[in-house]
Amino acid sequence: GQVTTSGARLIDARSGLAVNDIAAEVSIGGVARINRLTGTLSTRGSLSASGTVGITPAQGFPADLSIKLTDGRYTDGRV
């Protein structure tokens, strides 16, 4: 199968971090293969990712991921 999205948003309420304009294409077979994943950070910058994640619980969900942050910034208000 295949999962795609565009224009999605992910928010972590505890940290206040949000990823906007998420575009993704994931193929699902014996593993979930991230063919394309991009987004922009609410605090400036962008991210992209690719790789695989196992989908069999007995195998412990092994992952081989590559994540790239460009001009990323994170502030938690405590530092």
Side-chain angles (χ1 to χ4, degrees):
Q2 187 166 337
V3 176
T4 60
T5 188
S6 64
R9 186 170 194 214
L10 175 68
I11 301 170
D12 179 18
R14 282 188 173 183
S15 69
L17 182 65
V19 182
N20 302 311
D21 300 321
I22 298 170
E25 181 181 304
V26 180
S27 301
I28 301 173
V31 298
R33 179 173 305 283
I34 302 168
N35 301 314
R36 178 176 60 102
L37 176 75
T38 59
T40 57
L41 302 175
S42 61
T43 56
R44 198 178 90 206
S46 62
L47 68 86
S48 61
S50 62
T52 60
V53 178
I55 58 174
T56 306
Q59 293 176 348
F61 303 105
D64 181 9
L65 299 172
S66 175
I67 301 171
K68 179 180 178 182
L69 292 171
T70 304
D71 295 326
R73 171 189 266 181
Y74 174 74
T75 57
D76 67 2
R78 294 179 285 181
V79 179

